[in-house]
Amino acid sequence: MPSLSESYEFCRKLTRRTAHNFRFSFLTLPEEKRRAMEALYAFNRITDDLGDDTGMTLQLRKVRLGTWRQAVRVALNCRDERVAPGMATTGHLATFGDHPALPAISDMVQRHQIPPEYLFAVIDGVESDLVSLDISTFRELERYCYHVAGAVGLCCIHVWGFHGDEAIPLAIDCGLAFQLTNILRDIKEDAEVGRIYLPREDLDRFSYSEESLRSHEINEPFMELMSFETARAQVHYEKAEMLFDYLEPHGQRILRAMIDIYRGLLHEIERRRFDVFSQRVSLPKWKKLWFAGRAILMSRSSRRTRTGHVAKGASGTR
């Protein structure tokens, strides 16, 4: 088992190598919180990769996810009723039990008092992708998004620091906005592996078929469908903006950077007139760095303004 510092270093390197959007927002945080976010990202990345490993059969992926769940449970020293009896005896547990990310993940959860069920909810979400996916309604999509994004948002606000129960649903809304953006960006790649996350009720509403989606047809029904979905995502971004009032200053900075980066992706999808088929939508590195830098500067400016108001008021009472 690696030491705690070695584990955090593993998470840092994994984040730097694979987190093409989130890692830029992590630059807004002090070192301790940045390390915690890298550990959280590593947990999500490892879980996603176990579910997405197309080099293995579905059954083996299910087994490996179950074994990863058990290894996380042991590392966190907590119960998870979803763990199958006897799972600890499988051949993979020794490997996952020694996974270099686990000490950092455990330390992150304990240090920031993150309810472990949030992590297990993420594993649940990835496991749901291993069965035949059939999302009929937006309510069903919301439930899926909670597991793969909303629960992550709840982990985030525990790392950042928050006050008030009102932050809980807003963090879930924020995760939903990010995941809707991911879904719209990744329509092509997801369809190629048999995953269509857009609710069937929306496809029917605009008379756009799953076959048309798989054929990459960009027509009037598709434009109307995408316009509807981007507008829906914007509604949840507006709700996410309300989360700032419940976060500590460090949390406000990283949330500002995250929202700007992911909303920037959504704007880019619209700018390309919803052509998500010919080329993967992304933002240039300089723009993501600019968003992160602006979030830091805006926070400092806001802090100076608040300090100035306090000084002026104090002067006026003398």
Side-chain angles (χ1 to χ4, degrees):
M1 179 70 70
S3 68
L4 186 58
S5 61
E6 290 171 337
S7 182
Y8 272 116
E9 179 63 12
F10 171 87
C11 295
R12 185 191 70 81
K13 290 179 178 178
L14 179 62
T15 300
R16 184 175 181 84
R17 187 171 68 251
T18 62
H20 302 300
N21 289 310
F22 282 131
R23 72 181 178 92
F24 293 95
S25 62
F26 294 175
L27 298 174
T28 65
L29 293 173
E31 181 179 0
E32 189 274 329
K33 291 183 182 293
R34 183 169 65 249
R35 292 201 316 162
M37 288 300 295
E38 289 167 347
L40 177 59
Y41 174 83
F43 166 77
N44 291 309
R45 179 76 275 153
I46 293 162
T47 305
D48 282 344
D49 287 348
L50 286 171
D52 288 339
D53 190 348
T54 56
M56 297 185 179
T57 64
L58 282 177
Q59 184 57 38
L60 184 53
R61 279 183 267 172
K62 290 178 183 178
V63 170
R64 286 171 64 80
L65 275 169
T67 306
W68 172 243
R69 178 193 294 273
Q70 171 71 340
V72 172
R73 183 194 70 79
V74 171
L76 300 185
N77 192 27
C78 65
R79 292 177 57 82
D80 175 24
E81 300 302 329
R82 290 289 305 278
V83 176
M87 184 66 75
T89 64
T90 64
H92 297 293
L93 183 57
T95 300
F96 285 143
D98 292 333
H99 198 288
L102 284 174
I105 292 169
S106 177
D107 184 67
M108 168 200 67
V109 168
Q110 294 176 24
R111 187 182 298 268
H112 298 283
Q113 299 181 326
I114 298 173
E117 59 263 29
Y118 295 160
L119 276 69
F120 296 125
V122 174
I123 299 176
D124 290 343
V126 173
E127 284 180 333
S128 72
D129 272 333
L130 300 183
V131 299
S132 180
L133 198 65
D134 185 17
I135 296 179
S136 299
T137 66
F138 181 64
R139 182 60 60 87
E140 292 176 3
L141 179 59
E142 279 186 304
R143 286 197 293 269
Y144 169 79
C145 289
Y146 167 77
H147 286 92
V148 297
V152 178
L154 295 175
C155 292
C156 287
I157 63 174
H158 278 77
V159 172
W160 303 343
F162 73 99
H163 60 273
D165 292 340
E166 297 90 344
I168 301 298
L170 296 176
I172 294 172
D173 273 310
C174 187
L176 178 56
F178 290 167
Q179 190 62 25
L180 289 175
T181 302
N182 283 336
I183 287 170
L184 296 178
R185 179 195 61 190
D186 298 338
I187 283 177
K188 176 184 176 182
E189 292 84 353
D190 289 334
E192 288 174 350
V193 293
R195 297 174 183 169
I196 297 178
Y197 294 102
L198 296 180
R200 196 179 326 113
E201 66 180 5
D202 294 350
L203 295 173
D204 293 343
R205 176 183 303 180
F206 296 100
S207 301
Y208 189 77
S209 68
E210 292 185 4
E211 291 73 21
S212 295
L213 192 153
R214 294 189 184 96
S215 299
H216 307 164
E217 291 184 26
I218 299 179
N219 51 24
E220 191 63 28
F222 178 76
M223 301 285 283
E224 292 175 353
L225 170 65
M226 292 292 285
S227 180
F228 174 81
E229 301 296 353
T230 54
R232 170 181 275 165
Q234 292 289 9
V235 168
H236 291 283
Y237 276 113
E238 290 303 318
K239 292 180 180 179
E241 293 281 349
M242 299 167 61
L243 182 56
F244 285 98
D245 292 338
Y246 304 98
L247 296 180
E248 298 301 317
H250 293 310
Q252 292 174 356
R253 289 204 297 264
I254 186 171
L255 180 63
R256 179 76 275 150
M258 282 184 168
I259 288 179
D260 286 349
I261 289 171
Y262 267 79
R263 220 168 185 175
L265 284 170
L266 194 63
H267 287 315
E268 183 64 15
I269 290 171
E270 292 178 297
R271 190 189 70 80
R272 297 188 188 189
R273 295 185 56 78
F274 307 120
D275 181 5
V276 292
F277 297 121
S278 62
Q279 186 179 10
R280 181 178 172 83
V281 176
S282 63
L283 297 180
K285 180 178 179 180
W286 70 263
K287 181 169 283 191
K288 289 180 279 193
L289 284 169
W290 185 80
F291 281 139
R294 185 176 70 167
I296 295 172
L297 292 174
M298 289 175 64
S299 175
R300 290 174 178 171
S301 175
S302 175
R303 186 162 61 247
R304 285 197 299 269
T305 300
R306 289 195 300 271
T307 303
H309 284 166
V310 171
K312 183 177 180 180
S315 175
T317 59
R318 286 178 183 155

